[in-house]
Short mmCIF file of all heavy atoms in Angstrom, two decimals:
data_model
loop_
_atom_site.label_atom_id
_atom_site.label_comp_id
_atom_site.label_asym_id
_atom_site.label_seq_id
_atom_site.Cartn_x
_atom_site.Cartn_y
_atom_site.Cartn_z
N MET A 1 0.85 -1.17 0.00
CA MET A 1 0.00 0.00 0.00
C MET A 1 0.89 1.24 0.00
O MET A 1 1.84 1.33 0.78
CB MET A 1 -0.89 -0.02 1.25
CG MET A 1 -1.70 1.25 1.44
SD MET A 1 -2.59 1.34 3.02
CE MET A 1 -3.76 0.04 2.88
N ARG A 2 0.57 2.15 -0.86
CA ARG A 2 1.29 3.43 -0.88
C ARG A 2 0.77 4.34 0.24
O ARG A 2 -0.35 4.19 0.69
CB ARG A 2 1.08 4.13 -2.22
CG ARG A 2 1.69 3.39 -3.38
CD ARG A 2 1.39 4.17 -4.66
NE ARG A 2 1.86 3.44 -5.80
CZ ARG A 2 3.03 3.63 -6.39
NH1 ARG A 2 3.85 4.55 -5.93
NH2 ARG A 2 3.37 2.93 -7.44
N GLU A 3 1.62 5.25 0.64
CA GLU A 3 1.21 6.17 1.70
C GLU A 3 0.02 7.03 1.25
O GLU A 3 -0.85 7.36 2.06
CB GLU A 3 2.39 7.05 2.13
CG GLU A 3 2.14 7.73 3.44
CD GLU A 3 3.36 8.41 4.02
OE1 GLU A 3 4.46 7.84 3.97
OE2 GLU A 3 3.20 9.54 4.54
N SER A 4 -0.04 7.36 -0.04
CA SER A 4 -1.18 8.14 -0.54
C SER A 4 -2.49 7.38 -0.35
O SER A 4 -3.53 7.97 -0.03
CB SER A 4 -0.98 8.52 -2.00
OG SER A 4 -0.85 7.37 -2.81
N ARG A 5 -2.46 6.05 -0.53
CA ARG A 5 -3.65 5.23 -0.31
C ARG A 5 -4.01 5.21 1.17
O ARG A 5 -5.19 5.26 1.54
CB ARG A 5 -3.41 3.81 -0.83
CG ARG A 5 -4.57 2.87 -0.63
CD ARG A 5 -5.74 3.21 -1.53
NE ARG A 5 -6.80 2.22 -1.35
CZ ARG A 5 -8.09 2.52 -1.31
NH1 ARG A 5 -8.49 3.75 -1.51
NH2 ARG A 5 -8.98 1.58 -1.14
N PHE A 6 -3.01 5.15 2.03
CA PHE A 6 -3.24 5.22 3.47
C PHE A 6 -4.03 6.48 3.82
O PHE A 6 -5.03 6.43 4.53
CB PHE A 6 -1.90 5.21 4.23
CG PHE A 6 -2.02 5.57 5.68
CD1 PHE A 6 -2.40 4.62 6.62
CD2 PHE A 6 -1.77 6.87 6.11
CE1 PHE A 6 -2.52 4.96 7.97
CE2 PHE A 6 -1.88 7.21 7.45
CZ PHE A 6 -2.26 6.26 8.38
N TRP A 7 -3.57 7.63 3.29
CA TRP A 7 -4.25 8.88 3.60
C TRP A 7 -5.65 8.94 3.01
O TRP A 7 -6.58 9.47 3.63
CB TRP A 7 -3.41 10.08 3.16
CG TRP A 7 -2.23 10.26 4.06
CD1 TRP A 7 -0.92 10.07 3.76
CD2 TRP A 7 -2.27 10.60 5.45
NE1 TRP A 7 -0.14 10.27 4.87
CE2 TRP A 7 -0.94 10.60 5.92
CE3 TRP A 7 -3.28 10.91 6.35
CZ2 TRP A 7 -0.61 10.90 7.24
CZ3 TRP A 7 -2.96 11.20 7.67
CH2 TRP A 7 -1.63 11.19 8.09
N ALA A 8 -5.83 8.37 1.83
CA ALA A 8 -7.17 8.32 1.22
C ALA A 8 -8.11 7.50 2.10
O ALA A 8 -9.27 7.89 2.33
CB ALA A 8 -7.09 7.75 -0.18
N LEU A 9 -7.64 6.36 2.59
CA LEU A 9 -8.46 5.52 3.47
C LEU A 9 -8.75 6.22 4.79
O LEU A 9 -9.88 6.17 5.30
CB LEU A 9 -7.76 4.18 3.73
CG LEU A 9 -7.72 3.22 2.55
CD1 LEU A 9 -6.76 2.07 2.84
CD2 LEU A 9 -9.11 2.70 2.22
N MET A 10 -7.75 6.87 5.36
CA MET A 10 -7.95 7.60 6.61
C MET A 10 -9.00 8.69 6.44
O MET A 10 -9.92 8.81 7.26
CB MET A 10 -6.63 8.24 7.08
CG MET A 10 -5.62 7.28 7.67
SD MET A 10 -6.04 6.68 9.32
CE MET A 10 -5.76 8.14 10.33
N GLU A 11 -8.88 9.47 5.38
CA GLU A 11 -9.81 10.57 5.15
C GLU A 11 -11.21 10.06 4.83
O GLU A 11 -12.21 10.66 5.25
CB GLU A 11 -9.30 11.48 4.04
CG GLU A 11 -8.08 12.27 4.48
CD GLU A 11 -7.47 13.12 3.38
OE1 GLU A 11 -7.99 13.13 2.24
OE2 GLU A 11 -6.44 13.77 3.66
N ASP A 12 -11.31 8.95 4.12
CA ASP A 12 -12.60 8.37 3.79
C ASP A 12 -13.29 7.86 5.06
O ASP A 12 -14.49 8.05 5.24
CB ASP A 12 -12.40 7.23 2.79
CG ASP A 12 -13.72 6.68 2.28
OD1 ASP A 12 -14.60 7.48 1.92
OD2 ASP A 12 -13.86 5.44 2.24
N GLU A 13 -12.54 7.22 5.94
CA GLU A 13 -13.13 6.63 7.14
C GLU A 13 -13.41 7.67 8.23
O GLU A 13 -14.45 7.62 8.90
CB GLU A 13 -12.20 5.55 7.70
CG GLU A 13 -12.72 4.85 8.93
CD GLU A 13 -14.02 4.09 8.70
OE1 GLU A 13 -14.24 3.57 7.60
OE2 GLU A 13 -14.82 4.02 9.65
N PHE A 14 -12.50 8.62 8.44
CA PHE A 14 -12.60 9.52 9.59
C PHE A 14 -12.90 10.97 9.23
O PHE A 14 -13.08 11.79 10.12
CB PHE A 14 -11.29 9.47 10.39
CG PHE A 14 -10.97 8.09 10.90
CD1 PHE A 14 -9.92 7.37 10.37
CD2 PHE A 14 -11.74 7.50 11.90
CE1 PHE A 14 -9.62 6.10 10.83
CE2 PHE A 14 -11.45 6.23 12.37
CZ PHE A 14 -10.39 5.52 11.83
N GLY A 15 -12.94 11.29 7.95
CA GLY A 15 -13.15 12.67 7.53
C GLY A 15 -11.81 13.35 7.30
O GLY A 15 -10.80 12.99 7.92
N LYS A 16 -11.81 14.30 6.38
CA LYS A 16 -10.56 14.92 5.95
C LYS A 16 -9.78 15.57 7.10
O LYS A 16 -8.58 15.37 7.24
CB LYS A 16 -10.84 15.93 4.85
CG LYS A 16 -9.62 16.39 4.14
CD LYS A 16 -9.97 17.15 2.87
CE LYS A 16 -8.70 17.45 2.13
NZ LYS A 16 -8.73 17.11 0.75
N ALA A 17 -10.46 16.33 7.93
CA ALA A 17 -9.77 17.05 9.01
C ALA A 17 -9.41 16.11 10.16
O ALA A 17 -8.27 16.11 10.64
CB ALA A 17 -10.63 18.20 9.52
N TYR A 18 -10.37 15.30 10.61
CA TYR A 18 -10.14 14.45 11.77
C TYR A 18 -9.09 13.38 11.50
O TYR A 18 -8.36 12.98 12.41
CB TYR A 18 -11.44 13.82 12.27
CG TYR A 18 -11.26 13.04 13.55
CD1 TYR A 18 -10.82 13.67 14.71
CD2 TYR A 18 -11.50 11.68 13.59
CE1 TYR A 18 -10.63 12.97 15.88
CE2 TYR A 18 -11.31 10.96 14.77
CZ TYR A 18 -10.88 11.61 15.91
OH TYR A 18 -10.68 10.90 17.07
N ALA A 19 -8.99 12.91 10.27
CA ALA A 19 -8.00 11.88 9.93
C ALA A 19 -6.59 12.36 10.28
O ALA A 19 -5.79 11.59 10.82
CB ALA A 19 -8.08 11.54 8.45
N HIS A 20 -6.30 13.61 10.02
CA HIS A 20 -4.97 14.15 10.28
C HIS A 20 -4.75 14.40 11.78
O HIS A 20 -3.64 14.20 12.28
CB HIS A 20 -4.72 15.39 9.43
CG HIS A 20 -4.67 15.05 7.97
ND1 HIS A 20 -3.51 14.66 7.34
CD2 HIS A 20 -5.64 14.98 7.04
CE1 HIS A 20 -3.77 14.39 6.08
NE2 HIS A 20 -5.06 14.57 5.87
N VAL A 21 -5.80 14.81 12.47
CA VAL A 21 -5.72 14.97 13.92
C VAL A 21 -5.47 13.61 14.56
O VAL A 21 -4.58 13.46 15.42
CB VAL A 21 -7.02 15.60 14.49
CG1 VAL A 21 -7.04 15.55 16.02
CG2 VAL A 21 -7.18 17.02 13.99
N LEU A 22 -6.22 12.61 14.13
CA LEU A 22 -6.06 11.25 14.65
C LEU A 22 -4.65 10.73 14.40
O LEU A 22 -4.01 10.17 15.30
CB LEU A 22 -7.09 10.34 13.99
CG LEU A 22 -7.30 8.97 14.59
CD1 LEU A 22 -7.90 9.08 15.99
CD2 LEU A 22 -8.20 8.15 13.70
N ALA A 23 -4.14 10.94 13.19
CA ALA A 23 -2.79 10.47 12.84
C ALA A 23 -1.72 11.17 13.67
O ALA A 23 -0.66 10.60 13.94
CB ALA A 23 -2.53 10.68 11.35
N ASP A 24 -1.99 12.40 14.08
CA ASP A 24 -1.04 13.16 14.90
C ASP A 24 -1.10 12.81 16.38
O ASP A 24 -0.10 12.94 17.08
CB ASP A 24 -1.33 14.66 14.79
CG ASP A 24 -0.74 15.29 13.55
OD1 ASP A 24 0.26 14.78 13.03
OD2 ASP A 24 -1.29 16.32 13.10
N GLN A 25 -2.27 12.38 16.86
CA GLN A 25 -2.45 12.27 18.31
C GLN A 25 -2.68 10.87 18.85
O GLN A 25 -2.36 10.61 20.01
CB GLN A 25 -3.60 13.18 18.74
CG GLN A 25 -3.29 14.64 18.49
CD GLN A 25 -4.40 15.56 18.94
OE1 GLN A 25 -5.42 15.12 19.46
NE2 GLN A 25 -4.21 16.85 18.76
N LEU A 26 -3.26 9.97 18.06
CA LEU A 26 -3.54 8.62 18.54
C LEU A 26 -2.26 7.79 18.58
O LEU A 26 -1.60 7.60 17.57
CB LEU A 26 -4.55 7.92 17.62
CG LEU A 26 -4.84 6.46 17.94
CD1 LEU A 26 -5.64 6.35 19.24
CD2 LEU A 26 -5.57 5.79 16.80
N VAL A 27 -1.90 7.33 19.76
CA VAL A 27 -0.73 6.46 19.90
C VAL A 27 -1.19 5.04 19.61
O VAL A 27 -2.08 4.50 20.29
CB VAL A 27 -0.10 6.56 21.31
CG1 VAL A 27 1.03 5.56 21.47
CG2 VAL A 27 0.41 7.98 21.54
N ILE A 28 -0.60 4.44 18.60
CA ILE A 28 -0.95 3.08 18.21
C ILE A 28 -0.22 2.13 19.14
O ILE A 28 1.02 2.10 19.16
CB ILE A 28 -0.60 2.85 16.73
CG1 ILE A 28 -1.35 3.84 15.85
CG2 ILE A 28 -0.91 1.41 16.33
CD1 ILE A 28 -0.89 3.86 14.41
N THR A 29 -0.99 1.38 19.88
CA THR A 29 -0.45 0.54 20.96
C THR A 29 0.70 -0.37 20.52
O THR A 29 1.74 -0.38 21.19
CB THR A 29 -1.58 -0.26 21.62
OG1 THR A 29 -2.59 0.66 22.04
CG2 THR A 29 -1.08 -1.05 22.80
N PRO A 30 0.57 -1.15 19.43
CA PRO A 30 1.67 -2.07 19.10
C PRO A 30 2.99 -1.36 18.78
O PRO A 30 4.06 -1.93 18.97
CB PRO A 30 1.17 -2.83 17.88
CG PRO A 30 -0.28 -2.60 17.80
CD PRO A 30 -0.56 -1.32 18.53
N PHE A 31 2.91 -0.13 18.29
CA PHE A 31 4.12 0.59 17.91
C PHE A 31 4.58 1.57 18.97
O PHE A 31 5.72 2.01 18.97
CB PHE A 31 3.90 1.36 16.60
CG PHE A 31 3.38 0.55 15.47
CD1 PHE A 31 2.37 1.05 14.65
CD2 PHE A 31 3.89 -0.70 15.18
CE1 PHE A 31 1.89 0.31 13.59
CE2 PHE A 31 3.40 -1.45 14.12
CZ PHE A 31 2.40 -0.94 13.32
N GLN A 32 3.67 1.98 19.85
CA GLN A 32 3.92 3.05 20.82
C GLN A 32 4.36 4.34 20.10
O GLN A 32 5.22 5.08 20.59
CB GLN A 32 4.93 2.63 21.90
CG GLN A 32 4.36 1.63 22.87
CD GLN A 32 3.13 2.16 23.61
OE1 GLN A 32 3.21 3.18 24.29
NE2 GLN A 32 2.01 1.49 23.46
N LEU A 33 3.75 4.56 18.94
CA LEU A 33 3.98 5.75 18.11
C LEU A 33 2.65 6.19 17.55
O LEU A 33 1.72 5.38 17.44
CB LEU A 33 4.91 5.43 16.93
CG LEU A 33 6.32 4.92 17.23
CD1 LEU A 33 6.96 4.38 15.95
CD2 LEU A 33 7.16 6.04 17.81
N THR A 34 2.56 7.46 17.17
CA THR A 34 1.38 7.89 16.43
C THR A 34 1.49 7.34 15.01
O THR A 34 2.56 6.87 14.60
CB THR A 34 1.27 9.42 16.38
OG1 THR A 34 2.35 9.94 15.61
CG2 THR A 34 1.26 10.04 17.78
N ALA A 35 0.41 7.44 14.26
CA ALA A 35 0.43 6.95 12.87
C ALA A 35 1.49 7.70 12.06
O ALA A 35 2.26 7.08 11.31
CB ALA A 35 -0.94 7.11 12.23
N LYS A 36 1.56 9.01 12.22
CA LYS A 36 2.56 9.79 11.47
C LYS A 36 3.98 9.40 11.88
O LYS A 36 4.86 9.27 11.05
CB LYS A 36 2.34 11.29 11.66
CG LYS A 36 1.21 11.82 10.81
CD LYS A 36 1.17 13.33 10.82
CE LYS A 36 0.05 13.84 9.93
NZ LYS A 36 -0.10 15.28 10.01
N GLU A 37 4.19 9.20 13.17
CA GLU A 37 5.51 8.78 13.64
C GLU A 37 5.86 7.40 13.12
O GLU A 37 7.01 7.15 12.73
CB GLU A 37 5.56 8.80 15.16
CG GLU A 37 5.51 10.17 15.77
CD GLU A 37 5.30 10.14 17.28
OE1 GLU A 37 4.83 9.12 17.83
OE2 GLU A 37 5.60 11.17 17.91
N ALA A 38 4.89 6.49 13.12
CA ALA A 38 5.12 5.13 12.64
C ALA A 38 5.49 5.13 11.16
O ALA A 38 6.42 4.44 10.74
CB ALA A 38 3.90 4.26 12.89
N LEU A 39 4.78 5.91 10.37
CA LEU A 39 5.12 6.03 8.94
C LEU A 39 6.52 6.60 8.77
O LEU A 39 7.30 6.11 7.96
CB LEU A 39 4.09 6.89 8.21
CG LEU A 39 2.69 6.30 8.07
CD1 LEU A 39 1.72 7.36 7.57
CD2 LEU A 39 2.69 5.09 7.15
N GLY A 40 6.84 7.61 9.56
CA GLY A 40 8.17 8.22 9.50
C GLY A 40 9.28 7.28 9.96
O GLY A 40 10.42 7.41 9.53
N ALA A 41 8.92 6.33 10.81
CA ALA A 41 9.91 5.38 11.33
C ALA A 41 10.08 4.17 10.41
O ALA A 41 10.83 3.26 10.72
CB ALA A 41 9.49 4.90 12.72
N GLY A 42 9.36 4.18 9.29
CA GLY A 42 9.54 3.11 8.31
C GLY A 42 8.53 1.98 8.37
O GLY A 42 8.65 1.00 7.64
N LYS A 43 7.53 2.08 9.24
CA LYS A 43 6.47 1.07 9.24
C LYS A 43 5.70 1.19 7.93
O LYS A 43 5.51 2.29 7.42
CB LYS A 43 5.51 1.27 10.42
CG LYS A 43 6.15 1.15 11.77
CD LYS A 43 6.54 -0.27 12.07
CE LYS A 43 7.10 -0.38 13.48
NZ LYS A 43 7.75 -1.66 13.70
N SER A 44 5.25 0.06 7.41
CA SER A 44 4.52 0.11 6.15
C SER A 44 3.16 0.77 6.36
O SER A 44 2.56 0.66 7.44
CB SER A 44 4.35 -1.28 5.56
OG SER A 44 3.33 -1.99 6.22
N ALA A 45 2.68 1.43 5.34
CA ALA A 45 1.37 2.08 5.40
C ALA A 45 0.28 1.07 5.70
O ALA A 45 -0.65 1.35 6.45
CB ALA A 45 1.08 2.81 4.10
N ARG A 46 0.40 -0.14 5.16
CA ARG A 46 -0.60 -1.19 5.42
C ARG A 46 -0.60 -1.58 6.91
O ARG A 46 -1.66 -1.72 7.51
CB ARG A 46 -0.35 -2.42 4.57
CG ARG A 46 -1.37 -3.53 4.84
CD ARG A 46 -1.37 -4.64 3.84
NE ARG A 46 -1.58 -4.23 2.48
CZ ARG A 46 -2.74 -3.89 1.94
NH1 ARG A 46 -3.82 -3.87 2.68
NH2 ARG A 46 -2.84 -3.55 0.67
N GLU A 47 0.58 -1.76 7.49
CA GLU A 47 0.67 -2.10 8.92
C GLU A 47 0.02 -1.02 9.79
O GLU A 47 -0.70 -1.31 10.73
CB GLU A 47 2.12 -2.21 9.36
CG GLU A 47 2.86 -3.44 8.97
CD GLU A 47 4.28 -3.39 9.51
OE1 GLU A 47 5.07 -2.54 9.04
OE2 GLU A 47 4.58 -4.21 10.41
N VAL A 48 0.33 0.22 9.44
CA VAL A 48 -0.20 1.35 10.22
C VAL A 48 -1.72 1.42 10.06
O VAL A 48 -2.46 1.58 11.04
CB VAL A 48 0.48 2.67 9.83
CG1 VAL A 48 -0.14 3.84 10.56
CG2 VAL A 48 1.98 2.60 10.09
N TRP A 49 -2.21 1.28 8.83
CA TRP A 49 -3.65 1.33 8.58
C TRP A 49 -4.36 0.23 9.36
O TRP A 49 -5.37 0.47 10.01
CB TRP A 49 -3.95 1.24 7.09
CG TRP A 49 -5.40 1.06 6.78
CD1 TRP A 49 -5.99 -0.01 6.18
CD2 TRP A 49 -6.46 1.99 7.05
NE1 TRP A 49 -7.35 0.17 6.08
CE2 TRP A 49 -7.66 1.40 6.62
CE3 TRP A 49 -6.52 3.24 7.65
CZ2 TRP A 49 -8.90 2.03 6.74
CZ3 TRP A 49 -7.76 3.86 7.77
CH2 TRP A 49 -8.93 3.27 7.32
N GLU A 50 -3.85 -0.99 9.28
CA GLU A 50 -4.47 -2.11 10.00
C GLU A 50 -4.48 -1.86 11.51
O GLU A 50 -5.48 -2.14 12.17
CB GLU A 50 -3.76 -3.42 9.67
CG GLU A 50 -4.04 -3.95 8.30
CD GLU A 50 -5.50 -4.35 8.08
OE1 GLU A 50 -6.16 -4.83 9.02
OE2 GLU A 50 -5.98 -4.16 6.94
N ALA A 51 -3.40 -1.32 12.03
CA ALA A 51 -3.34 -1.04 13.47
C ALA A 51 -4.34 0.05 13.86
O ALA A 51 -4.99 -0.06 14.91
CB ALA A 51 -1.91 -0.62 13.86
N VAL A 52 -4.48 1.08 13.04
CA VAL A 52 -5.47 2.13 13.30
C VAL A 52 -6.87 1.52 13.28
O VAL A 52 -7.69 1.80 14.17
CB VAL A 52 -5.36 3.28 12.27
CG1 VAL A 52 -6.56 4.23 12.38
CG2 VAL A 52 -4.07 4.05 12.45
N CYS A 53 -7.14 0.67 12.29
CA CYS A 53 -8.46 0.03 12.19
C CYS A 53 -8.79 -0.79 13.42
O CYS A 53 -9.91 -0.72 13.95
CB CYS A 53 -8.53 -0.85 10.94
SG CYS A 53 -8.61 0.08 9.40
N VAL A 54 -7.83 -1.57 13.88
CA VAL A 54 -8.05 -2.41 15.07
C VAL A 54 -8.31 -1.52 16.28
O VAL A 54 -9.27 -1.73 17.03
CB VAL A 54 -6.85 -3.35 15.30
CG1 VAL A 54 -6.93 -4.01 16.67
CG2 VAL A 54 -6.78 -4.39 14.20
N GLN A 55 -7.48 -0.54 16.46
CA GLN A 55 -7.59 0.31 17.64
C GLN A 55 -8.86 1.16 17.63
O GLN A 55 -9.43 1.44 18.69
CB GLN A 55 -6.35 1.19 17.77
CG GLN A 55 -6.23 1.81 19.14
CD GLN A 55 -4.81 2.11 19.52
OE1 GLN A 55 -3.90 1.40 19.14
NE2 GLN A 55 -4.61 3.17 20.26
N GLN A 56 -9.32 1.55 16.46
CA GLN A 56 -10.50 2.41 16.34
C GLN A 56 -11.77 1.61 16.03
O GLN A 56 -12.81 2.20 15.75
CB GLN A 56 -10.28 3.48 15.27
CG GLN A 56 -9.22 4.50 15.64
CD GLN A 56 -9.58 5.26 16.89
OE1 GLN A 56 -8.97 5.08 17.93
NE2 GLN A 56 -10.57 6.13 16.82
N ASP A 57 -11.67 0.29 16.07
CA ASP A 57 -12.83 -0.59 15.84
C ASP A 57 -13.51 -0.34 14.49
O ASP A 57 -14.74 -0.32 14.40
CB ASP A 57 -13.86 -0.47 16.97
CG ASP A 57 -13.32 -0.96 18.30
OD1 ASP A 57 -12.59 -1.98 18.30
OD2 ASP A 57 -13.60 -0.33 19.33
N VAL A 58 -12.70 -0.15 13.45
CA VAL A 58 -13.25 -0.02 12.10
C VAL A 58 -13.67 -1.42 11.66
O VAL A 58 -12.86 -2.35 11.68
CB VAL A 58 -12.19 0.56 11.12
CG1 VAL A 58 -12.72 0.58 9.70
CG2 VAL A 58 -11.77 1.96 11.56
N PRO A 59 -14.94 -1.59 11.25
CA PRO A 59 -15.40 -2.91 10.83
C PRO A 59 -14.62 -3.43 9.62
O PRO A 59 -14.19 -2.65 8.77
CB PRO A 59 -16.87 -2.68 10.45
CG PRO A 59 -17.25 -1.39 11.10
CD PRO A 59 -16.00 -0.58 11.20
N GLU A 60 -14.47 -4.75 9.57
CA GLU A 60 -13.72 -5.40 8.48
C GLU A 60 -14.20 -4.94 7.11
O GLU A 60 -13.40 -4.72 6.22
CB GLU A 60 -13.86 -6.92 8.58
CG GLU A 60 -13.13 -7.54 9.73
CD GLU A 60 -11.66 -7.77 9.44
OE1 GLU A 60 -11.28 -7.91 8.28
OE2 GLU A 60 -10.90 -7.82 10.42
N GLU A 61 -15.52 -4.81 6.95
CA GLU A 61 -16.07 -4.46 5.63
C GLU A 61 -15.72 -3.05 5.18
O GLU A 61 -15.89 -2.72 4.01
CB GLU A 61 -17.59 -4.69 5.58
CG GLU A 61 -18.40 -3.83 6.53
CD GLU A 61 -18.61 -4.46 7.91
OE1 GLU A 61 -17.99 -5.48 8.24
OE2 GLU A 61 -19.42 -3.89 8.67
N ARG A 62 -15.21 -2.21 6.06
CA ARG A 62 -14.83 -0.84 5.67
C ARG A 62 -13.32 -0.65 5.58
O ARG A 62 -12.85 0.43 5.23
CB ARG A 62 -15.41 0.16 6.65
CG ARG A 62 -16.92 0.25 6.57
CD ARG A 62 -17.50 1.54 7.08
NE ARG A 62 -16.90 2.05 8.28
CZ ARG A 62 -17.52 2.16 9.46
NH1 ARG A 62 -18.76 1.76 9.60
NH2 ARG A 62 -16.90 2.67 10.50
N ARG A 63 -12.54 -1.68 5.83
CA ARG A 63 -11.09 -1.53 5.87
C ARG A 63 -10.44 -1.38 4.50
O ARG A 63 -9.31 -0.94 4.41
CB ARG A 63 -10.45 -2.67 6.64
CG ARG A 63 -10.82 -2.59 8.12
CD ARG A 63 -10.15 -3.61 8.94
NE ARG A 63 -10.64 -3.53 10.32
CZ ARG A 63 -10.17 -4.23 11.30
NH1 ARG A 63 -9.20 -5.11 11.09
NH2 ARG A 63 -10.67 -4.10 12.51
N LEU A 64 -11.14 -1.73 3.45
CA LEU A 64 -10.60 -1.55 2.09
C LEU A 64 -11.10 -0.27 1.45
O LEU A 64 -10.81 0.01 0.30
CB LEU A 64 -10.97 -2.75 1.21
CG LEU A 64 -10.38 -4.09 1.66
CD1 LEU A 64 -10.88 -5.19 0.75
CD2 LEU A 64 -8.87 -4.04 1.67
N GLY A 65 -11.87 0.51 2.19
CA GLY A 65 -12.41 1.75 1.65
C GLY A 65 -13.79 1.53 1.07
O GLY A 65 -14.26 0.41 0.91
N ARG A 66 -14.43 2.62 0.72
CA ARG A 66 -15.78 2.52 0.17
C ARG A 66 -15.69 2.11 -1.29
O ARG A 66 -14.69 2.35 -1.97
CB ARG A 66 -16.54 3.83 0.34
CG ARG A 66 -15.91 5.01 -0.35
CD ARG A 66 -16.67 6.29 0.00
NE ARG A 66 -15.90 7.43 -0.38
CZ ARG A 66 -16.02 8.08 -1.53
NH1 ARG A 66 -16.93 7.72 -2.39
NH2 ARG A 66 -15.24 9.11 -1.81
N ASP A 67 -16.76 1.49 -1.75
CA ASP A 67 -16.82 1.09 -3.16
C ASP A 67 -17.03 2.32 -4.03
O ASP A 67 -17.93 3.13 -3.78
CB ASP A 67 -17.97 0.11 -3.39
CG ASP A 67 -17.70 -1.25 -2.79
OD1 ASP A 67 -16.51 -1.59 -2.64
OD2 ASP A 67 -18.66 -1.97 -2.48
N ILE A 68 -16.19 2.45 -5.01
CA ILE A 68 -16.30 3.55 -5.96
C ILE A 68 -16.61 2.93 -7.32
O ILE A 68 -15.83 2.10 -7.80
CB ILE A 68 -15.01 4.37 -6.03
CG1 ILE A 68 -14.70 4.95 -4.65
CG2 ILE A 68 -15.10 5.47 -7.08
CD1 ILE A 68 -13.35 5.61 -4.53
N PRO A 69 -17.76 3.28 -7.90
CA PRO A 69 -18.09 2.66 -9.19
C PRO A 69 -17.06 3.03 -10.26
O PRO A 69 -16.53 4.16 -10.26
CB PRO A 69 -19.47 3.23 -9.52
CG PRO A 69 -19.71 4.36 -8.59
CD PRO A 69 -18.72 4.24 -7.46
N PRO A 70 -16.77 2.09 -11.16
CA PRO A 70 -15.81 2.39 -12.22
C PRO A 70 -16.33 3.46 -13.17
O PRO A 70 -17.54 3.61 -13.35
CB PRO A 70 -15.64 1.05 -12.94
CG PRO A 70 -16.83 0.25 -12.57
CD PRO A 70 -17.32 0.77 -11.25
N LYS A 71 -15.41 4.20 -13.75
CA LYS A 71 -15.80 5.23 -14.72
C LYS A 71 -16.19 4.56 -16.03
O LYS A 71 -15.53 3.59 -16.44
CB LYS A 71 -14.63 6.20 -14.95
CG LYS A 71 -14.30 7.01 -13.73
CD LYS A 71 -13.16 7.95 -14.00
CE LYS A 71 -12.83 8.72 -12.73
NZ LYS A 71 -11.72 9.63 -12.92
N PRO A 72 -17.25 5.04 -16.68
CA PRO A 72 -17.68 4.42 -17.95
C PRO A 72 -16.68 4.63 -19.07
O PRO A 72 -15.87 5.45 -19.11
CB PRO A 72 -19.02 5.08 -18.26
CG PRO A 72 -19.16 6.23 -17.34
CD PRO A 72 -18.12 6.12 -16.27
#
């Protein structure tokens, strides 16, 4: 997963403004770092996203993002 996809998923799930607040302030238990710190420390975007989902109780069906219909 690219970091840009991580941010798209964060903004889709938590809203554009709150996603960045959450990434700055929520300490992810397994890493003992915030999401931004974990990304900066070299953790993969997928690992960080999954950890955020677990900690924030994001349902499995929403972890891949919302369905976007293909362009015709």
Side-chain angles (χ1 to χ4, degrees):
M1 173 188 294
R2 295 179 185 265
E3 196 170 318
S4 59
R5 179 71 176 140
F6 168 82
W7 287 112
L9 288 168
M10 285 287 288
E11 290 176 1
D12 187 46
E13 181 62 32
F14 301 109
K16 193 168 186 131
Y18 185 61
H20 294 273
V21 170
L22 193 66
D24 278 334
Q25 296 182 0
L26 175 71
V27 175
I28 300 170
T29 305
F31 307 137
Q32 288 301 301
L33 300 168
T34 67
K36 282 190 178 176
E37 291 169 340
L39 291 169
K43 298 290 184 192
S44 77
R46 179 167 304 283
E47 283 181 293
V48 176
W49 171 245
E50 286 296 326
V52 169
C53 288
V54 168
Q55 195 153 327
Q56 292 299 109
D57 295 320
V58 175
E60 289 278 335
E61 63 271 10
R62 292 202 319 246
R63 292 185 185 185
L64 297 177
R66 61 186 165 95
D67 288 335
I68 300 172
K71 294 180 182 179

